[in-house]
Amino acid sequence: LCTAVDILRSTTPKDARLAVTETMVDALQKSCFRPIREKCIQNNGYFMNQHSYAIMGYLASAILGNEVEDYRQAVEWTTVNATSANQGRNGAIKQQIRLVTRNDKTGEAVEPHLQVVEMGRDQPHAAGNIDNLLMMAKTIGFQGTKVDPVNGTVTDAKDGVSVVHFLDDRLPKGAALFAKYNIGYELPWTPTWSETAKDNMVTYDQISYFGRGSIGGNGIPAGYYFYKGIGLDVDSGPYGYL
């Protein structure tokens, strides 16, 4: 909806009476988008890919309304979401494509490695993270926004990076892991938190075979060509889909 509005307000119709005005956009925000945000999607506690589906809409509406502070919040909720009360379910880039350093079931330290956490649930839901987070990263990139390379907050500092390159290219590396497993390669898996609420501490103990092969549709192939287009070696190494 936000995309459609942006296209329409950027279009000059032959009949000037049909032009979309800022007054119309403001009314749509006030009467439609903001109530949806306040009652539903402006919430940083949803479970894994549900988080990115919600914040994608919040991000789009903030951009449409040129709401700078809300935009900054939506960006941080995309990258780190540090204020989430339940980091196990956090669907932001940092926690969904997680640097695992220990077995959360036993407490035993392990060699640090990345895991796409929702791959412990099933592959179709994990695909939602890979697709959504890239779309959000691209949307943020279209605004010319850079983020702190560790904290994920909007920054004008010289060390700012695009969201795609946030946390040492966490997003394309996660996409490569997802692709590898879903075209038949095996991956190591360490039990890791899926819930860390006080009364609900749960781990994903193994990678899920349910829905394995979830590389259809547009998202995963589109990611492959996007990452290839920005110069990453998507055929081998840490970014390799194969």
Side-chain angles (χ1 to χ4, degrees):
L1 288 172
C2 291
T3 302
V5 173
D6 226 2
I7 292 170
L8 288 170
R9 72 174 175 179
S10 301
T11 301
T12 303
K14 291 182 179 179
D15 185 342
R17 295 173 300 175
L18 300 178
V20 172
T21 66
E22 289 305 308
T23 300
M24 293 178 184
V25 175
D26 290 344
L28 183 62
Q29 287 271 58
K30 180 180 178 180
S31 301
C32 181
F33 295 157
R34 287 200 192 101
I36 292 172
R37 281 163 50 175
E38 292 166 5
K39 299 294 185 182
C40 185
I41 65 174
Q42 195 169 331
N43 181 319
N44 68 335
Y46 286 122
F47 185 80
M48 301 208 178
N49 79 7
Q50 296 169 11
H51 171 83
S52 57
Y53 280 108
I55 305 312
M56 187 185 302
Y58 175 31
L59 177 69
S61 177
I63 292 170
L64 184 69
N66 197 30
E67 300 166 16
V68 175
E69 290 308 312
D70 285 345
Y71 173 73
R72 287 173 172 267
Q73 183 180 69
V75 170
E76 196 279 334
W77 286 0
T78 300
T79 56
V80 175
N81 191 17
T83 58
S84 172
N86 190 328
Q87 290 294 321
R89 61 164 50 206
N90 187 350
I93 291 171
K94 181 177 180 178
Q95 290 298 343
Q96 188 50 222
I97 306 170
R98 189 174 301 171
L99 180 61
V100 175
T101 60
R102 71 169 198 167
N103 182 322
D104 285 332
K105 200 171 184 69
T106 67
E108 179 185 5
V110 299
E111 188 71 24
H113 64 283
L114 295 180
Q115 291 181 180
V116 180
V117 174
E118 202 160 5
M119 289 176 70
R121 179 188 187 189
D122 61 47
Q123 301 313 307
H125 282 95
N129 293 283
I130 298 302
D131 294 351
N132 294 352
L133 291 169
L134 176 58
M135 285 191 282
M136 295 161 78
K138 291 165 70 177
T139 299
I140 293 165
F142 294 151
Q143 314 312 310
T145 299
K146 297 294 181 65
V147 298
D148 182 276
V150 176
N151 297 326
T153 50
V154 174
T155 184
D156 293 323
K158 291 182 179 180
D159 65 346
V161 298
S162 73
V163 174
V164 170
H165 294 302
F166 173 63
L167 282 183
D168 190 28
D169 297 342
R170 184 72 60 90
L171 193 55
K173 288 177 180 177
L177 290 173
F178 177 85
K180 283 178 182 292
Y181 183 72
N182 281 279
I183 63 174
Y185 291 88
E186 298 304 320
L187 295 179
W189 186 267
T190 301
T192 192
W193 297 121
S194 61
E195 295 279 3
T196 54
K198 181 179 178 182
D199 298 320
N200 189 21
M201 306 286 279
V202 182
T203 57
Y204 282 142
D205 293 342
Q206 62 187 48
I207 196 167
S208 175
Y209 61 83
F210 185 81
R212 191 175 188 181
S214 297
I215 53 173
N218 294 323
I220 305 304
Y224 173 90
Y225 287 108
F226 174 79
Y227 294 129
K228 188 172 185 176
I230 64 173
L232 299 180
D233 181 0
V234 290
D235 296 317
S236 63
Y239 310 104
Y241 277 44
L242 305 177

